[in-house]
Structures are given as C-alpha cells and as structure tokens.
Amino acid sequence: MKDRYLYILLIIAMFLWGSSWPTSKILTTYTSPAVITFWRFLFVFLGSFSMLYFLKIPLKIPLQIFKWVFCAGILNGLYTFVFFIALRYGEAGKGGVLVTTMIPIFSYIFFMLSIVLRKNEKLIQRVGKSEILGLILGLASGFCLLNLGSLDEIFGKFNILFLLCALIWASITLFTHKAKGAHPLTINLYINLISTLMFSWVLFLDEPFKVLTSDVKFWVNMFVVVVLSTIIGTSIYYYAIHRLGGVKANSFVLITPASALICSFFILDEVPTVLTLIGCILAIFAIYFINIHSKKKS
C-alpha cells in the first residue's frame, strides 16, 4: 500500500474513532451501562478473533506478560463502564475532546512522576520545552472544557466521570507498554476477552437479552462502535504504526478531538460552545507538542 493511501485510511480511522462518542451515547438510551459494556466487549472479541484468524496472526502471548495484560483488561472494562455512564450526563462531543486531551496529559504526568521518584537525571534532562508547553496548553484546554464557572460545575458528574475515564485510560497505557513480546492485535484480543469475562455476570439478569431485540437504530450504532470504530479503526492505526512509525501515525491522533465534535454535531445535533471550540484547538496543539514535536526533535 502506498503511503498516501494509508494517510487517507488514517484520517478515516480517526473519524471512526470520533464517531464512537455520539453513537455510544445513543446506545446508552437502550439499556444500562453494564449491559452495553458486556455486549460491546463480546462483539469486539468475536470480531477481533475472526480478524486475527483471517490474517493468520498468532494467538500465543508470552506467559510473563499475562499479568500486565490482565491488569489492562480489568482497567479496560472499568474505563468502558465509566465511559457509558459519563455519556448519560454530558455532551458526547465535549466529552470526546476532554478525554482525548487529558489522556496524554495524565500519561505525561505519570511519566514525570516516575522519573522524579526514580531520580533519573538523564530522563529529567530529556524533558524538553515542547513537552512543558504541551502540558500547559493541555491544562488550559481542560479548563475551557470543564466549564469552571462554579463549584457545582467543577464537581459535576460530567467533569468527574470524564476525567476518571482519561485517568483510567492513561493507567492502561502503563500496563500495555509493559506487555511486549506479541502482536499488538493479539494483546488487544486478550484484553477484550478479560473485559468481557469481567462483565459476564450480567448474563444472570433478564435485561441483557432483551436488548438483543432492539430496533435497527440500536444495531446500526452498535455496528459503528464495534466494527467500524474499534475493530477497523484500531487495526488501521496499528498497521500505520508498523508502516509509518509511531511519530507519523500518532500525528493523526490530532484529528480525533475535532472529529468527535463534528460527528456529534451531525449525529446528535450538538452545537459546541465557544469555550469548547477553544478547548479543542488548544487540545490539538497540546497533543502535538507532547506526542509529536518532542519525538520528532529527539
């Protein structure tokens, strides 16, 4: 595949990721977050397994990394559960910008804390001005998106739950980073399997099976979330990292906050406020300086 075609696919993948926010919000209107979480993980696992079988990607993973995969699977399940709860209390587009912004911010804070605690002077010296600038811009975008007008808004369900989503996902990256020695899609398969088993208790209720008789709208949105966004979008991203390298592939992640707003506008008629748009722009620059510019420089 020529690089220019891969660039087009990456742009499509980022919009597929952005579309998962409004479509997931629609899914929350049908049943409880726990039930939606279970079916999402089960369908993703089955779809991912079929894809790995078709591509003939090995299913074996080293035993020594299973503990990291297990921890990532538990956190992945918790993230998705909180994610579906959060979508009931806030706008999908605004939440998509907030979470995709704060994940690299929290990840970078974890990185900074780790090198300070280890007193690693070499790593401290590698921290550049671009990362610090990105961190400042990211925090500024967070203030815009949190809509900090009063104490009620600061500690509102929307802010607390979406910030918790970002914090959990940033924690997941710590464990997936350690889970090396197998194909990324294989590791992702087992993470989703663990998350599925984590919520399998809902099968003992009557509610989960009722949702399977839902209308076409439910299944269209489930298809977007599971197949288009999670399976296809993530596979394109992993393939792009393999072909283009992490710096070029991650630069396309800058599209995700904007795509979440655009998709939410067209699907849910959510009109972003001026503060949300400013926060989105600051978020794009923050991700660029933390994840892209610093790596290009090094």
Side-chain angles (χ1 to χ4, degrees), residues 99-109 135 166 170 283 286-287 290-291:
V99 173
T100 53
T101 304
M102 296 311 295
I103 286 174
I105 298 298
F106 283 139
S107 298
Y108 190 71
I109 290 173
L135 184 61
I287 296 171
I290 290 176
N291 283 348

Side-chain angles (χ1 to χ4, degrees), residues 21 79 94-104 162-163 165-166 169:
W21 289 86
Y79 164 83
K94 185 177 177 181
V97 178
L98 179 60
V99 173
T100 53
T101 304
M102 296 311 295
I103 286 174
F162 277 118
L163 284 176
C165 282
W169 193 265

Side-chain angles (χ1 to χ4, degrees), residues 27-125:
L27 291 177
T28 61
T29 62
Y30 283 86
T31 186
S32 66
V35 173
I36 291 295
T37 299
F38 170 76
W39 288 116
R40 178 192 178 277
F41 279 130
L42 180 61
F43 293 145
V44 167
F45 170 74
L46 294 175
S48 299
F49 180 82
S50 301
M51 183 179 64
L52 263 65
Y53 179 80
F54 175 77
L55 296 176
K56 297 181 180 179
I57 296 175
L59 297 178
K60 292 183 180 180
I61 62 172
L63 187 61
Q64 61 268 25
I65 70 169
F66 180 77
K67 59 182 178 181
W68 307 120
V69 174
F70 178 80
C71 292
I74 296 298
L75 288 174
N76 188 42
L78 182 60
Y79 164 83
T80 305
F81 180 60
V82 176
F83 164 77
F84 280 121
I85 296 175
L87 284 173
R88 289 190 166 190
Y89 297 105
E91 295 180 357
K94 185 177 177 181
V97 178
L98 179 60
V99 173
T100 53
T101 304
M102 296 311 295
I103 286 174
I105 298 298
F106 283 139
S107 298
Y108 190 71
I109 290 173
F110 288 159
F111 168 72
M112 292 292 291
L113 287 174
S114 68
I115 63 176
V116 169
L117 291 174
R118 288 184 292 173
K119 298 179 180 180
N120 194 323
E121 295 182 2
K122 290 184 178 180
L123 285 177
I124 293 174
Q125 291 174 358

Side-chain angles (χ1 to χ4, degrees), residues 51-259:
M51 183 179 64
L52 263 65
Y53 179 80
F54 175 77
L55 296 176
K56 297 181 180 179
I57 296 175
L59 297 178
K60 292 183 180 180
I61 62 172
L63 187 61
Q64 61 268 25
I65 70 169
F66 180 77
K67 59 182 178 181
W68 307 120
V69 174
F70 178 80
C71 292
I74 296 298
L75 288 174
N76 188 42
L78 182 60
Y79 164 83
T80 305
F81 180 60
V82 176
F83 164 77
F84 280 121
I85 296 175
L87 284 173
R88 289 190 166 190
Y89 297 105
E91 295 180 357
K94 185 177 177 181
V97 178
L98 179 60
V99 173
T100 53
T101 304
M102 296 311 295
I103 286 174
I105 298 298
F106 283 139
S107 298
Y108 190 71
I109 290 173
F110 288 159
F111 168 72
M112 292 292 291
L113 287 174
S114 68
I115 63 176
V116 169
L117 291 174
R118 288 184 292 173
K119 298 179 180 180
N120 194 323
E121 295 182 2
K122 290 184 178 180
L123 285 177
I124 293 174
Q125 291 174 358
R126 285 178 58 188
V127 176
K129 294 180 181 178
S130 60
E131 289 101 323
I132 296 173
L133 177 60
L135 184 61
I136 294 172
L137 290 174
L139 293 174
S141 70
F143 281 116
C144 292
L145 295 166
L146 291 174
N147 196 23
L148 304 180
S150 66
L151 286 176
D152 292 336
E153 290 174 346
I154 294 174
F155 299 105
K157 291 179 180 178
F158 169 83
N159 290 336
I160 296 298
L161 290 172
F162 277 118
L163 284 176
L164 182 59
C165 282
L167 183 63
I168 294 171
W169 193 265
S171 302
I172 292 174
T173 61
L174 298 177
F175 294 106
T176 54
H177 181 70
K178 292 179 178 293
K180 296 179 179 179
H183 195 284
L185 292 178
T186 303
I187 293 174
N188 189 53
L189 174 74
Y190 286 105
I191 288 174
N192 282 292
L193 174 60
I194 292 166
S195 300
T196 304
L197 296 175
M198 179 180 173
F199 283 89
S200 60
W201 55 269
V202 302
L203 292 174
F204 295 97
L205 307 175
D206 295 329
E207 188 180 359
F209 299 101
K210 292 180 181 178
V211 77
L212 297 179
T213 60
S214 298
D215 55 18
V216 176
K217 183 180 178 181
F218 170 85
W219 289 108
V220 169
N221 285 281
M222 181 64 80
F223 178 81
V224 172
V225 172
V226 172
V227 179
L228 298 184
S229 175
T230 307
I231 297 176
I232 295 179
T234 303
S235 298
I236 293 172
Y237 174 69
Y238 281 140
Y239 179 74
I241 289 179
H242 175 71
R243 279 289 306 273
L244 304 175
V247 175
K248 281 188 177 180
N250 283 328
S251 65
F252 284 84
V253 176
L254 299 172
I255 300 171
T256 308
S259 69

